[in-house]
């Protein structure tokens, strides 16, 4: 774990709501290693996207706040302590992001080419001609057919899959060290999903960037990623390499998630589902946050927060079961 | 067999209609992608040939925003008529000295209140009258020439305060919507105050304080009208700033003011164009109103509102002096409104595909 390019330590992002303080992200720590794809898995509302937004300093203002004890280390700089101006220099240049909705993530009034050139013009202060040439190269790299003509197309003239390719190219043009992909394939057809994932992997290998891949799709994780963090209710409950996690899912939540995946080789009438709902974060129950839905919950689980247990090297679980 | 031919004809028809182009093209793109995935299952997707776009793709009309707008206006008969009338109005205003048969300021008391030449018929001195197509006013000035020169004033009044209003309203509206909080509160309450006064009254107060002149009309009308613009722009900004492309722009490191100027402002332009065409006639009307009340343009300027005001004393004996400038105002205002309505329909996604 020494070559971590991005180190997140005790990240807490809280939201002020009318009902009280909502700890959307509550003290998570993990590393993203250079040249690897790290997955952040969890159901809706578990704080995955907020973690991504916190890294880039794009937490919705003024309701959201990154608490002062949080640290996000990127190349000897703590991103949470940087000014807006310095952060803007890092965004898109060193750390960039791919969004969930390709249909609305491109500005409808500009051509694809102009939008691709924007990060280059901002960060590398390139001339128009240079930026154009490079943008074209990246459009080719993400396999957009007929890139020369696509440069002067408007977003509405492209299909969703093509737009997501353009978004990937846009995230790549400045050769960032880290790319955050926030459910990049959720809004696409299944056939196109596979292409985009393959593309992401290829491009990642070519440029040797690290990717933080946010998803709720464990199938995608198994295929694409190297490390996995499973999030539940704003906390990380299990952290492991992909092999370890699928071999030996230790937290009851992870086990439940895996069990609820549909399988081709197993004919069941009803899919397994985890009972209950994510608890309301404003009034967090004492003890383990998963206790109310956990099939293996004990007395202790409802009283005290579970410890971090290393069950093997590089496999961390937050659960009383392994104490 | 017959059915197939009919189908083919219909398809060809659809292909020709630029309106359905986009959807046809979209289907093609999707087909391309899905074909790529299915056709090469198990293989690398990388060998999608980059040049596999169909040749007819090349002839596809790239429907840019402006082309689309002009096309829509061209198809809308009312808007097209409005556009022609506005074009005529602008040409007449710009080349007023060429069109005007007389000097609009030339006083000739011997030719006071002559009726329009087409009305007088075979009266004694018809040779002399024929040069006054719309008659003369109480100082013997040619009404037609004064209306033609008056078009200049109306054009300037229509454009300048409207542009100032739009500039102020857009800037304040975007700042208000984007930054929110106290800034928003302050700007919007200021707009409320400006809008809560009856606009003509507020303009009159400004004109009385600053004195009657053309330049002061600009200021008065701008102060009165910016509130409405800023509210519309603010609402647009509020909607736009939640869009993902703004988030995406932030994520590639674009600064706040650049986001406002380069990403939010261009998306407000369609509304601003509609707002502009609908504000021009309003400004022309306001000027006419102010001039009629005596706080706008001052004699001997050939302002339409002023002409009506001075002509009203002769309304029963020589109605042409007051009525003709009234007709001119009516025509210009309705022309701008036609265009404005047409543009609004053209740019509104809801009325588009009826």
């Amino acid at each position: 774990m020494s070559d971590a390019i991005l180190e997140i330590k005790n990240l807490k992002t809280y939201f002020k709501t009318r009902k009280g303080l909502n700890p959307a992200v509550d003290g998570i720590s993990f590393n993203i290693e250079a040249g690897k794809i790290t997955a952040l898995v969890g159901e809706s509302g578990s704080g995955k996207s907020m973690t991504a937004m916190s890294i880039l300093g794009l937490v919705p203002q003024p309701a959201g706040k990154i608490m002062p004890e949080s640290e996000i280390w990127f190349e000897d700089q703590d991103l949470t302590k940087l000014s807006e101006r310095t952060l803007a220099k890092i965004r898109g240049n060193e750390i960039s992001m791919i969004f969930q909705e390709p249909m609305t993530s491109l500005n409808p009034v500009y051509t694809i080419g102009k939008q691709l050139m924007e990060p280059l013009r901002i960060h590398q202060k390139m001339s128009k001609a240079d930026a154009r040439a490079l943008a074209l190269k990246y459009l080719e790299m993400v396999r957009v057919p007929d890139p020369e003509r696509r440069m002067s197309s408007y977003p509405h003239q492209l299909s969703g899959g093509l737009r997501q390719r353009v978004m990937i190219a846009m995230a790549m043009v400045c050769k960032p060290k880290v790319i955050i992909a926030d459910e990049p394939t959720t809004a696409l057809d299944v056939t196109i999903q596979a292409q985009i994932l393959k593309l992401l992997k290829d491009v990642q290998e070519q440029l040797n960037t690290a990717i933080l891949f946010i998803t709720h799709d464990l199938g995608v994780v198994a295929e694409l990623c190297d490390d996995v963090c499973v999030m539940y209710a704003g906390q990380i409950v299990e952290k492991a390499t992909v092999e370890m996690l699928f071999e030996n899912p230790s937290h009851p939540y992870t086990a439940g998630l895996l069990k609820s995946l549909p399988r081709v080789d197993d004919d069941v009438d009803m899919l397994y589902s985890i009972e209950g709902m994510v608890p309301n974060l404003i009034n967090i129950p004492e003890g383990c946050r998963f206790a109310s839905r956990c099939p293996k919950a004990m007395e202790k689980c409802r009283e005290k927060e579970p410890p971090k247990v290393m069950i093997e090297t590089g496999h961390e679980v937050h659960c009383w079961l392994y104490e | 067999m017959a059915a197939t031919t009919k189908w083919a004809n219909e398809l060809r028809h659809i292909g020709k209609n630029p309106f359905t182009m986009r959807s046809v093209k979209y289907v093609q793109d999707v087909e391309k992608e899905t074909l790529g995935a299915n056709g090469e299952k198990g293989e690398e997707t990388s060998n999608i040939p980059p040049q596999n776009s169909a040749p007819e793709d090349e002839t596809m009309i790239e429907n840019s925003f402006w082309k689309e707008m002009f096309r829509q206006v061209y198809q809308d008969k009312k808007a097209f008529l409005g556009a022609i009338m506005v074009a005529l109005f602008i040409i007449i205003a710009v080349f007023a000295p060429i069109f005007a048969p007389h000097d609009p300021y030339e006083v000739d008391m011997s030719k006071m209140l002559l009726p329009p030449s087409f009305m007088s018929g075979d009266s004694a001195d018809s040779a002399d009258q024929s040069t006054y197509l719309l008659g003369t006013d109480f100082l013997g000035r040619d009404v037609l020439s004064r209306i033609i020169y008056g078009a200049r004033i109306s054009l300037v009044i229509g454009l300048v305060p409207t542009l100032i209003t739009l500039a102020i309203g857009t800037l304040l509206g975007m700042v208000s919507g984007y930054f929110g909080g106290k800034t928003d509160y302050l700007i919007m309450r200021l707009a409320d105050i400006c809008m809560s006064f009856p606009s003509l009254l507020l303009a009159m107060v400004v004109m009385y304080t600053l004195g009657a002149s053309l330049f002061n009309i600009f200021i008065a009308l701008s102060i009165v009208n910016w509130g409405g613009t800023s509210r519309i722009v603010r609402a647009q900004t509020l909607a736009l700033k939640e869009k993902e492309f703004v988030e995406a722009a932030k994520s590639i490191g674009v600064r706040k003011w650049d986001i406002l100027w380069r990403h939010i402002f261009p998306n407000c332009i369609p509304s601003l164009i509609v707002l502009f065409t609908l504000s021009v006639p309003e400004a022309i009307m306001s000027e006419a109103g102010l001039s009629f009340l005596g706080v706008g343009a001052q004699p001997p300027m050939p302002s339409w509102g002023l002409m009506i005001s001075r002509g009203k004393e002769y309304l029963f004996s020589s109605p042409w002096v007051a009525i003709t400038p009234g007709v001119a105002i009516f025509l210009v205002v309705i022309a701008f409104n036609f265009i404005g309505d047409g543009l609004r329909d053209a740019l509104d996604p809801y009325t588009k595909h009826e």
Side-chain angles (χ1 to χ4, degrees), chain A residues 250-309:
Chain A
S250 305
H251 196 280
Y253 178 62
T254 318
L257 278 183
L258 282 174
K259 222 169 137 188
S260 56
L261 277 181
R263 295 183 67 108
V264 188
D265 54 349
D266 191 9
D267 210 5
V268 288
D269 291 335
M270 278 275 264
L271 276 178
Y272 175 84
S273 66
I274 304 173
E275 291 292 318
M277 296 254 290
V278 183
N280 183 354
L281 289 179
I282 291 166
N283 306 304
I284 320 164
E286 290 272 311
C288 176
R289 290 178 187 186
F290 189 58
S292 59
R293 302 169 75 185
C294 184
K296 295 177 182 164
M298 302 172 284
E299 244 348 271
K300 199 157 48 167
C301 296
R302 296 197 174 80
E303 284 156 11
K304 264 179 86 179
E305 211 163 292
K308 291 179 192 174
V309 188

Side-chain angles (χ1 to χ4, degrees), chain A residues 53 56 58 85 88-89 91-92 95-97 99-101 104-110 118-119 122-123 143 145-146 149-150 152-153 156-162 165 167 170 191-192 195 198, chain B residues 22 25-26 29-30 32-34 36-38 44-53 57-58 61-64 243-245 247-256 261-264 266-267:
Chain A
M53 291 302 185
L56 281 176
L58 293 176
R85 195 167 270 269
K89 279 186 194 143
R91 284 181 205 147
I95 305 176
S96 63
M97 188 153 176
F99 287 85
Q100 197 180 116
E101 262 304 331
T104 55
S105 300
L106 290 165
N107 192 332
V109 301
Y110 291 127
E118 192 169 24
I122 293 174
H123 295 299
R143 295 170 210 140
D146 199 0
R149 201 167 61 89
R150 287 303 176 204
S152 49
S153 295
H156 72 258
Q157 297 169 323
L158 305 187
S159 65
L162 277 182
R165 285 170 196 265
M167 286 305 291
M170 213 164 134
T191 46
I192 294 161
Q195 291 178 34
K198 175 85 178 62
Chain B
R22 204 178 294 160
K25 189 171 185 183
Y26 178 69
D29 278 345
V30 170
K32 219 175 286 161
E33 295 226 350
T34 35
N38 291 338
E44 307 291 26
T45 41
S46 60
N47 42 25
I48 297 173
Q51 295 299 328
N52 75 344
S53 58
D57 232 58
E58 216 58 51
I61 294 165
E62 305 267 288
N63 273 340
S64 78
K243 287 272 168 71
E244 282 206 322
F245 66 79
E247 201 81 41
K250 281 188 209 159
S251 85
I252 60 166
V254 184
R255 303 235 180 84
K256 272 182 201 165
W261 176 243
R262 291 219 307 270
H263 289 274
I264 291 183
N267 281 289

Side-chain angles (χ1 to χ4, degrees), chain B residues 13-24 61 63 68 71-72 75 345-346 351-354:
Chain B
H13 174 70
I14 291 171
K16 265 181 202 157
N17 181 357
F19 220 88
T20 49
M21 281 301 180
R22 204 178 294 160
S23 49
V24 170
I61 294 165
N63 273 340
E68 177 77 14
R71 201 182 56 74
Q72 292 247 355
Q75 283 189 349
D345 291 348
T351 54
K352 216 172 195 173
H353 297 287
E354 272 169 2

Side-chain angles (χ1 to χ4, degrees), chain B residues 160-174 222 226 229-230 233 265 272 276:
Chain B
V160 178
T162 313
L163 287 175
I164 297 175
T165 303
L166 283 189
I168 298 175
T170 306
L171 182 70
L172 291 179
M174 285 202 310
S222 305
W226 70 272
T229 312
S230 72
V233 174
F265 174 67
L272 288 176
F276 175 73

Side-chain angles (χ1 to χ4, degrees), chain A residues 208-250:
Chain A
N208 199 32
T209 35
I211 296 184
L212 175 62
F213 193 88
I214 296 173
T215 182
H216 55 250
D217 189 341
L218 279 169
V220 171
V221 173
E223 208 159 298
L224 190 74
C225 303
D226 302 302
D227 298 320
V228 193
C229 301
V230 182
M231 272 189 92
Y232 183 78
Q235 292 181 327
I236 288 181
V237 293
E238 187 162 2
K239 195 157 64 177
T241 64
V242 167
E243 293 81 19
M244 289 178 193
L245 190 97
F246 282 88
E247 197 74 29
N248 181 20
S250 305

